Amino acid sequence: MEHHIAPENSITPEVKELIAKYEKAELVKKHRGFGTNAIHAGQEPDPITGGVSVPINLSSTYAQKFPGEPFGHFDYSRCGHPTREAFEIAIAAAEHGKYGMAFSSGCAATTCIVQTLAGVGDHVICCDDVYGGTQRYMRQISQQKNGVTFTFVDMTDVKNVEKAVQENTKLIWIETPTNPTLKVCDVEAICAFAKSKNIITATDNTFPSPYLQSPLLLGSDISVNSVTKYIGGHSDVVMGALVTNNKELRDKLFFTSKTIGGTPGAFDCYLALRGLKTLKVRMEAACKNAQIISEYLEKNPKVEKVIYPGLTSHPQHEVAKKQMRGFGGMITFFIKGSIEESRKFLAAMKVMTLAESLGGVESLIECPAVMTHFSVPPEVRKELGISDNLIRLSVGLEDIEDLVYDLQQAFEKI
Ligand SMILES: *Cc1c(COP(=O)(O)O)cnc(C)c1O
């Protein structure tokens, strides 16, 4: 079997210097208590066996002492089970919130929120570069079947949100940084405005993960994550979660969740808990690798443009610095050329995997125009700047030398 390791002396002195700079730098500001909570919140040793790992509890139903009087607080697993409860406590702590709720996917969490807050005759404002699945649900289910209207706006300017508000606006849906153009919007400013109008805000926190960004501390009513990505972290579980501090809102969301379903099984919750424990170290490593790669790409003559919130050239770099503890593991760049060059470049990868999704330990690289965002209408893609030479990279935890070498050898093929 061929091992794709960078040969000695394959890395240029400039790249070596970059690596040395960031090996020393403390990129991510300390997130007090995050690591401890991720490992211990909701995860006390088992009171009977002393086991330190939360058990995978597969019961779908729970015995009752008398009719309507269960032994504990579980009755049926769609409404809650012990492994899910442990994860819900842990994710709430990670998001600096009180109430966590787990779902069978990020999309199930999203639909639960929109279903709860917007019905016939209501209006929702959403960022224009929102996750494809969110936009599809909003346009093709919520709008077409449930009678909700949507306005999609560029949220990098809070004025666009202000202009879009109507009397019947019930929800503002924020996502930052966005996918794949990594636009950053000011969560604090948007949420302050929403509060003044009594509109609920939900922030999709998937790209930064709770380690790098805390929407609830920035004023958002709900923080929602696709656990499938950084929290799970190993590309082996599909799950979602939301966290809120508002008890009344939590009760409404819980009612929707138990009624429409879309709740997770015990094995998935176990994997999510296992992933969350190492989120901190994985995120720090991904940020470091991504910063080095983005600076390497910015100097590469075969690259037209690089978008990474950690670069001073990023248009919202200052906002990112203000609200994020690190700049994340996602990089978007435009190679010089057309779809032909994109295809050749991606097919040449040896260490990075050509695949959709993100947030795993392995680096994943793709061309959104023909992969993740193929279902976005071509004119909308054009408007959002998702061109055929746009490459999206989810930087993993491989050795930085091997990642840079992989890009270098692929550039040599175009
Ligand atoms: C993947 C993703 C989702 C949807 O999550 P699933 O777990 O795939 O259902 C939502 N938002 C963002 C930003 C995502 O990347």
Side-chain angles (χ1 to χ4, degrees), residues 37-59:
N37 280 336
I39 293 165
H40 295 293
Q43 304 165 77
E44 309 307 327
D46 186 285
I48 296 163
T49 65
V52 296
S53 284
V54 170
I56 300 170
N57 196 315
L58 294 169
S59 254

Side-chain angles (χ1 to χ4, degrees), residues 104-110 130-134 173 175-179 204-208 224-229 237-240 357-358 392:
S104 57
S105 69
C107 284
T110 299
V130 73
Y131 174 70
T134 303
W173 190 275
E175 185 181 313
T176 178
T178 62
N179 170 22
D204 187 330
N205 206 29
T206 302
F207 267 40
V224 52
N225 279 279
S226 167
V227 172
T228 316
K229 315 295 166 53
V237 59
V238 173
M239 235 179 93
S357 198
L358 58 114
R392 186 184 84 176

Side-chain angles (χ1 to χ4, degrees), residues 41-278:
Q43 304 165 77
E44 309 307 327
D46 186 285
I48 296 163
T49 65
V52 296
S53 284
V54 170
I56 300 170
N57 196 315
L58 294 169
S59 254
S60 61
T61 189
Y62 299 82
Q64 309 205 354
K65 280 185 279 189
F66 299 103
E69 220 181 288
F71 280 88
H73 57 286
F74 300 111
D75 48 24
Y76 184 64
S77 280
R78 179 170 12 88
C79 309
H81 57 75
T83 321
R84 171 172 151 195
E85 185 177 69
F87 175 70
E88 291 177 337
I89 294 170
I91 190 72
E95 286 280 14
H96 300 275
K98 284 196 192 127
Y99 311 106
M101 280 173 64
F103 295 85
S104 57
S105 69
C107 284
T110 299
T111 56
C112 176
I113 296 167
V114 181
Q115 289 270 341
T116 303
L117 293 163
V120 181
D122 292 334
H123 175 247
V124 174
I125 302 171
C126 180
C127 57
D128 58 359
D129 195 16
V130 73
Y131 174 70
T134 303
Q135 159 304 127
R136 185 172 55 200
Y137 166 72
M138 288 176 172
R139 289 185 205 272
Q140 296 186 35
I141 307 277
S142 196
Q143 181 150 312
Q144 286 183 17
K145 301 197 192 285
N146 300 350
V148 179
T149 53
F150 290 84
T151 307
F152 294 88
V153 300
D154 178 354
M155 289 197 180
T156 56
D157 188 350
V158 65
K159 285 198 191 72
N160 293 334
V161 180
E162 292 171 13
K163 272 185 256 161
V165 166
Q166 302 177 6
E167 231 151 66
N168 55 345
T169 306
K170 294 288 162 58
L171 172 66
I172 296 177
W173 190 275
I174 304 166
E175 185 181 313
T176 178
T178 62
N179 170 22
T181 56
L182 301 175
K183 289 201 279 196
V184 174
C185 58
D186 189 333
V187 178
E188 207 171 3
I190 297 170
C191 293
F193 167 73
K195 277 224 162 60
S196 76
K197 298 275 175 199
N198 269 322
I199 301 168
I200 299 283
T201 43
T203 305
D204 187 330
N205 206 29
T206 302
F207 267 40
S209 90
Y211 183 58
L212 299 181
Q213 184 169 277
S214 303
L216 300 185
L217 298 182
L218 297 168
S220 187
D221 295 296
I222 303 168
S223 179
V224 52
N225 279 279
S226 167
V227 172
T228 316
K229 315 295 166 53
Y230 286 104
I231 297 171
H234 297 74
S235 307
D236 56 8
V237 59
V238 173
M239 235 179 93
L242 67 82
V243 179
T244 179
N245 277 318
N246 181 330
K247 175 76 166 65
E248 196 189 328
L249 184 56
R250 185 259 167 208
D251 291 345
K252 284 186 194 158
L253 291 163
F254 180 71
F255 175 81
T256 309
S257 155
K258 76 172 183 188
T259 306
I260 66 178
T263 56
F267 191 68
D268 290 354
C269 293
Y270 167 82
L271 286 172
L273 272 169
R274 188 182 162 108
L276 181 61
K277 284 180 207 279
T278 55

Side-chain angles (χ1 to χ4, degrees), residues 379-394:
E379 63 281 4
V380 179
R381 280 208 302 265
K382 189 153 179 254
E383 206 181 303
L384 296 173
I386 308 172
S387 50
D388 291 350
N389 60 336
L390 183 159
I391 307 290
R392 186 184 84 176
L393 170 56
S394 168

